[in-house]
Amino acid sequence: MLSYLKTTVCAAAGLAMAATSAIADPYADYSGETLVVNFPAHPHFDAVMKVLPEFTKETGINVEVDQLQYLKMRERQTLELTKNKGDYDLIAYVVFSKADYVYADQLENLARYFMNPKLADPNFDAEDLIDGYVANIGVAGGKKGYLPGPTGSLFGLPFGSETSILGYRKDIFEKHDLKVPETYDELLELACLIPELEPGMGGLASRAASGHHASHAFLLHLAPLGGRIFDDEWNPIVDNEAGVKAAEALKKIVNCGAEGSKTFGFAEAGASFLQGNSAMFLDSTVFAGQVNNPDKSKVVGKIGWAPHPVGVRAGSQTGGFGIGIPKNAPNKDAAFLLMQWLTSKKADKLIALAGGNPSRYSTHSDPEVNEKFPHMETFGEALKNADPDWRPIIPVWGKINADLGTTLSKIIVDDFPIQESLEGVSVRTRALMDEAGYYTWTQ
């Protein structure tokens, strides 16, 4: 948890209160400036674009947005952050970019901004930010290098939080008097019962395609079933009992899925659910925006939502984006004011009402937001169990992830033995970790 970090931020804001109370307009010194920000082409940021004019209206600060497809955004940032003076004042990034950017000393530590009484809003209320996302997207330098801890620092703020959620067909569940699954045993039983009750319909639509899709699906089950990729000393443990159970769960889900399930990526699994070919869907909350869109969905008004089922523990994924200030940003103070405004209670609610993914507990429970999006309170409850360590945020993860995903596909499609296959992943992972220096202090 991040109580120590949030307390620090709130205390700094409290110290700022006396000074800021005498300032009629904290934005006055920056009025007329133009900030250049880099955002991805993504539904959350499409909602942000609708709200940004309000920031300019309130502050007099202009904002130009360079909105790019995600991979192009990452390529552009990789170039921009190496310049002596960059073009971007504020950037959006995913969690793996956080690790890269912080390690390369390319993101501002936010402490000095929250300590500045002329910049820090005493009403920001950091305690209201979703804990798991502050840890996942904002903090580096603590436990394992990428989690909170006494040595950790804050480099960004969550902006567009996502977690895993269970979508289900209310009409199918009511027709057969089925209970919405709360545990993994219940989930796996229903995944294979529904095709018997509804011939031609899959139980649970899931990613399974070789590579990162299969790995992602496996990781969704690994955390709640009690597993991790590594123990606290970086020993690979993907082949332990929890890892085997997660692989067995994934294989069972896919085998009881709709036609073509073994090659589903995120889009294909989502389409199976939207077209009425699967009764359940377990993946990111970002998907919710499509279910009641008649241009994409045949199940409008038929979908219910429930938290990610519990295994030996509650543990849903952490995904989405964060925002941070580049070290080479030309207008850092004004950029902080924009960052603070975008993640404030007011803006978080406005963005949610425009169709974005809020990052505050209060927004998820807000009556006006829930009147427009009735699923939002359920999503807020699910976010309380968002696990910032559901996958390791380390430089060699890309190689490990690819190997894991390829191996899982062989388990699903070619019936490779689970225990032996995961043992192979562990052996190869250990070699990669050794080469990267993770055992330097244990040898």
Side-chain angles (χ1 to χ4, degrees):
M1 298 296 286
L2 297 171
S3 57
Y4 77 95
L5 180 61
K6 288 185 173 181
T7 300
T8 300
V9 172
C10 290
L15 290 173
M17 185 174 294
T20 56
S21 63
I23 299 175
D25 182 5
Y27 300 104
D29 290 345
Y30 308 96
S31 181
E33 286 190 10
T34 296
L35 298 174
V36 180
V37 303
N38 185 216
F39 289 160
H42 181 277
H44 172 74
F45 290 89
D46 293 341
V48 173
M49 296 295 287
K50 298 174 185 177
V51 174
L52 268 175
E54 183 66 22
F55 172 76
T56 299
K57 180 181 176 181
E58 286 186 19
T59 68
I61 301 171
N62 301 304
V63 182
E64 293 181 2
V65 180
D66 186 17
Q67 194 170 17
L68 302 171
Q69 187 273 339
Y70 168 67
L71 292 178
K72 290 184 179 179
M73 182 188 80
R74 174 63 199 251
E75 290 175 1
R76 181 69 60 81
Q77 289 178 3
T78 300
L79 173 64
E80 284 293 325
L81 297 182
T82 60
K83 294 179 179 179
N84 289 330
K85 184 176 182 181
D87 292 329
Y88 294 140
D89 296 295
L90 190 71
I91 62 170
Y93 59 88
V94 296
V95 65
F96 287 102
S97 296
K98 174 196 80 170
D100 294 339
Y101 296 165
V102 171
Y103 190 77
D105 196 27
Q106 293 172 333
L107 283 182
E108 286 280 298
N109 188 315
L110 297 180
R112 74 178 184 88
Y113 299 95
F114 279 110
M115 294 173 68
N116 187 333
K118 293 183 179 180
L119 297 175
D121 182 354
N123 298 310
F124 182 69
D125 191 8
E127 295 286 345
D128 186 43
L129 294 170
I130 296 166
D131 295 62
Y133 282 87
V134 179
N136 180 256
I137 207 75
V139 178
K143 185 178 180 181
K144 295 185 178 180
Y146 59 87
L147 292 170
T151 57
S153 296
L154 186 67
F155 293 90
L157 293 174
F159 193 53
S161 300
E162 301 170 21
T163 194
S164 46
I165 196 79
L166 179 69
Y168 64 94
R169 286 281 298 277
K170 293 187 293 184
D171 56 330
I172 299 297
F173 274 64
E174 290 169 3
K175 176 181 176 181
H176 298 288
D177 195 26
L178 301 175
K179 175 180 176 290
V180 178
E182 298 179 0
T183 69
Y184 257 80
D185 288 343
E186 294 170 351
L187 176 70
L188 295 175
E189 180 182 357
L190 279 177
C192 293
L193 174 61
I194 287 172
E196 296 177 7
L197 298 174
E198 292 285 334
M201 177 177 284
L204 173 64
S206 171
R207 308 188 199 200
S210 182
H212 75 276
H213 285 298
S215 177
H216 182 102
F218 169 78
L219 291 169
L220 286 180
H221 309 310
L222 183 64
L225 291 173
R228 292 280 189 241
I229 299 296
F230 300 103
D231 66 14
D232 288 340
E233 296 180 347
W234 296 112
N235 295 303
I237 55 172
V238 70
D239 57 340
N240 66 8
E241 182 181 359
V244 171
K245 285 184 177 179
E248 289 173 343
L250 175 58
K251 186 171 183 177
K252 184 173 185 177
I253 288 167
V254 173
N255 285 342
C256 294
E259 184 178 354
S261 289
K262 292 181 180 181
T263 60
F264 280 179
F266 177 70
E268 293 79 13
S272 178
F273 188 54
L274 292 177
Q275 297 305 305
N277 297 324
S278 297
M280 295 183 289
F281 178 78
L282 181 64
D283 213 299
S284 173
T285 49
V286 73
F287 181 76
Q290 303 181 55
V291 298
N292 289 322
N293 181 347
D295 294 332
K296 296 182 178 181
S297 174
K298 294 182 179 179
V299 292
V300 174
K302 298 179 180 180
I303 303 303
W305 301 98
H308 192 131
V310 176
V312 299
R313 66 184 178 210
S316 55
Q317 74 165 81
T318 44
F321 292 86
I323 47 177
I325 303 170
K327 273 287 185 76
N328 61 1
N331 303 292
K332 296 179 182 179
D333 287 356
F336 175 77
L337 290 173
L338 173 59
M339 169 194 276
Q340 183 175 238
W341 188 91
L342 287 171
T343 56
S344 68
K345 288 184 176 181
K346 175 182 178 179
D348 199 56
K349 178 178 175 177
L350 289 174
I351 293 167
L353 290 170
N357 303 322
S359 296
R360 287 180 171 271
Y361 291 118
S362 60
T363 307
H364 282 90
S365 61
D366 183 88
E368 186 179 357
V369 173
N370 276 275
E371 182 178 358
K372 186 171 184 179
F373 302 108
H375 59 263
M376 199 62 77
E377 189 166 8
T378 299
F379 285 14
E381 289 300 310
L383 283 160
K384 292 178 181 179
N385 295 318
D387 183 354
D389 198 20
W390 77 292
R391 59 185 173 184
I393 307 167
I394 55 177
V396 294
W397 173 243
K399 293 180 180 179
I400 297 168
N401 191 46
D403 179 31
L404 176 61
T406 301
T407 301
L408 287 164
S409 179
K410 293 176 181 178
I411 290 171
I412 294 167
V413 176
D414 300 320
D415 289 322
F416 275 40
I418 292 176
Q419 182 72 62
E420 181 181 337
S421 298
L422 293 180
E423 286 173 358
V425 172
S426 285
V427 169
R428 294 187 293 275
T429 296
R430 176 172 285 279
L432 286 170
M433 297 294 282
D434 190 16
E435 183 181 356
Y438 282 86
Y439 306 125
T440 300
W441 292 87
T442 59
Q443 294 176 346

